[in-house]
Amino acid sequence: MKIESVANTTTSTNTNRISAHTHITGLGLNDQGMVDTTSKCGLIGQAKAREALGVVTDLVVSQQLAGRALLLVGGPGTGKTALAMAVAQELSQHQASKLPFCPMVASQVFSREVKKTEILMEHFRKAIALRIQEQKEVYEGEVIELNVEETEDPLGGYGRTISHVLLGLKTTKGTKTLKLDPTIHDSLTKEGVA
């Protein structure tokens, strides 16, 4: 039995493909709106569909078709997603910022775990590039005072409610007094902060 070793071949090109259609850079049309066969847009075939979508992108850029929906219909594997990605890339070339492309699969919408409206809202947020961020400030130090400020019960009862918590911290840079939300009082008492 003869064993031969195979040399490793490494390529110097770095590919950054993230998903199936990240290689698509546009519709690949020339100035007359016809398919340019020498273009390296990432699409092959579908010449009539690409030319028709070129007319659509021109109408959107000229704001004659802006704010409308576009429905691409066809069987599986006919290139609907690739053409939609190409339209998004073409429209991004006419804007200052990149147009987000958010493909959606019907099985995501009709899921038992997540509501339909939640899935649709998530995709709408992606489409308009809305980012929900929460900022937190972290204070580190030794608790030197903890005062609970109470007020009369706003519902008219005989009891009192906590309006806010004053927390004094001693840090390496000095002392700091924080006025905190009353909901933090329960978590402070559970942790044994006194």
Side-chain angles (χ1 to χ4, degrees):
M1 178 164 101
K2 185 177 179 183
I3 299 176
E4 295 181 21
S5 64
V6 177
N8 274 345
T9 58
T10 57
T11 59
S12 62
T13 58
N14 187 9
T15 58
N16 291 328
R17 277 186 73 177
I18 298 168
S19 65
H21 300 294
T22 53
H23 64 283
I24 297 173
T25 59
L27 289 170
L29 303 176
N30 57 19
D31 294 336
Q32 290 79 30
M34 305 301 286
V35 172
D36 185 8
T37 56
T38 61
S39 172
K40 297 188 184 206
C41 67
L43 289 175
I44 299 171
Q46 293 283 12
K48 290 182 181 179
R50 287 162 58 188
E51 291 169 1
L53 288 174
V55 172
V56 170
T57 55
D58 290 340
L59 288 172
V60 171
V61 168
S62 65
Q63 296 183 350
Q64 294 177 1
L65 192 67
R68 305 282 178 123
L70 180 66
L71 179 64
L72 300 177
V73 180
T78 55
K80 298 178 296 292
T81 307
L83 289 170
M85 178 71 164
V87 169
Q89 295 293 334
E90 285 286 328
L91 291 174
S92 294
Q93 293 173 2
H94 298 283
Q95 291 183 344
S97 62
K98 187 177 180 195
L99 185 72
F101 178 71
C102 307
M104 185 167 35
V105 180
S107 61
Q108 289 177 331
V109 178
F110 297 104
S111 170
R112 290 180 185 227
E113 293 87 24
V114 186
K115 293 181 180 178
K116 295 174 194 172
T117 54
E118 190 175 328
I119 293 291
L120 291 173
M121 288 303 294
E122 179 184 333
H123 279 81
F124 283 133
R125 285 188 192 112
K126 284 181 187 176
I128 62 173
L130 178 68
R131 302 280 188 262
I132 298 175
Q133 295 180 350
E134 184 178 350
Q135 293 184 351
K136 295 183 180 182
E137 294 181 22
V138 178
Y139 297 99
E140 188 175 333
E142 178 185 352
V143 177
I144 53 174
E145 70 173 310
L146 178 64
N147 294 328
V148 178
E149 298 291 324
E150 295 180 339
T151 59
E152 296 295 325
D153 190 4
L155 299 175
Y158 293 107
R160 297 175 64 85
T161 60
I162 299 172
S163 63
H164 58 272
V165 177
L166 291 174
L167 182 73
L169 285 179
K170 180 180 176 185
T171 64
T172 57
K173 297 179 181 177
T175 60
K176 187 163 190 82
T177 303
L178 303 171
K179 185 177 178 180
L180 303 173
D181 193 66
T183 56
I184 202 164
H185 181 261
D186 293 334
S187 60
L188 289 174
T189 54
K190 285 179 186 175
E191 292 291 327
V193 178

